[in-house]
Amino acid sequence: RGDMKKHWQSMGWNEISKSRIKDVTYLESLSKCQELHRKQAEELLGALSALQAGDLMRKNGFTPGDFVVEDVGVSLDADAAAEAMRAENIMEQEERAALRASQQAEFEEAEADDAQRREAESKRLAEEQKLAEEKEAAEVWAMMDRQHRLENLPTEPSEN
């Protein structure tokens, strides 16, 4: 904190003003301080990565070629972007929940329609099968009736 306070003072910050009205030099100084802290954060992350990589090389036999070099500045930008996306995602949660509910309702409706179609198809197949059985039974009945009538016909007189 002492070093940070010295850095702020070297850039023209003696005391943080409580007023909400700021002049342009204040904003420029703020921007410079934010950039300085960003660079410090990048350097700290880079140093931490280097220490972790060195530790892995000592303990596990890795070589420097086994590591992918990461631009820490991009990493910090990605963190800021992720935080912004998180806030946006939180705001969209209700909309997503409503969309999921409507999709679920559509799915259930489609399932009900499919169930009705399957039931109608099974009824149609059962009706067709019943009609086929009745037709076959009528054909068998007609054949048996014909045979019975033929058997009941009087015999023909012989010509002798």
Side-chain angles (χ1 to χ4, degrees):
R1 287 188 167 238
D3 288 340
M4 186 170 40
K5 190 171 184 179
K6 288 178 189 174
H7 287 294
W8 283 57
Q9 287 174 348
S10 71
M11 294 186 178
W13 289 79
N14 293 327
E15 191 71 31
I16 297 177
S17 173
K18 304 271 186 213
S19 171
R20 295 181 54 101
I21 300 173
K22 309 289 185 221
D23 62 355
V24 175
T25 58
Y26 173 86
L27 295 176
E28 289 173 358
S29 298
L30 178 64
S31 175
K32 287 178 184 177
C33 286
Q34 287 174 338
E35 186 60 31
L36 176 67
H37 289 137
R38 177 183 163 81
K39 286 180 183 178
Q40 287 175 339
E42 289 175 5
E43 290 171 3
L44 284 172
L45 285 174
L48 177 64
S49 278
L51 285 173
Q52 289 174 337
D55 191 40
L56 285 173
M57 287 191 298
R58 274 191 309 281
K59 289 181 180 178
N60 299 328
F62 288 104
T63 63
D66 295 332
F67 296 97
V68 176
V69 178
E70 178 184 22
D71 183 359
V72 180
V74 172
S75 174
L76 290 176
D77 291 340
D79 290 344
E83 187 61 33
M85 287 302 296
R86 181 180 174 279
E88 187 176 318
N89 288 340
I90 289 172
M91 291 187 317
E92 293 175 350
Q93 281 180 344
E94 285 184 24
E95 185 178 329
R96 285 192 197 117
L99 178 62
R100 277 194 291 273
S102 70
Q103 288 173 339
Q104 183 65 29
E106 288 176 13
F107 177 74
E108 290 170 357
E109 184 179 319
E111 281 290 316
D113 290 345
D114 289 345
Q116 287 178 344
R117 269 190 243 112
R118 285 191 297 268
E119 186 178 329
E121 181 67 18
S122 66
K123 284 182 180 179
R124 185 187 64 79
L125 289 174
E127 186 66 30
E128 284 179 4
Q129 185 178 7
K130 182 180 175 185
L131 289 175
E133 288 174 359
E134 287 177 358
K135 181 180 177 186
E136 183 182 355
E139 288 173 358
V140 168
W141 178 261
M143 184 179 72
M144 296 301 285
D145 186 47
R146 183 171 186 255
Q147 184 178 359
H148 177 70
R149 286 185 187 177
L150 287 174
E151 289 174 358
N152 286 338
L153 285 176
T155 55
E156 292 185 16
S158 51
E159 293 189 16
N160 304 15

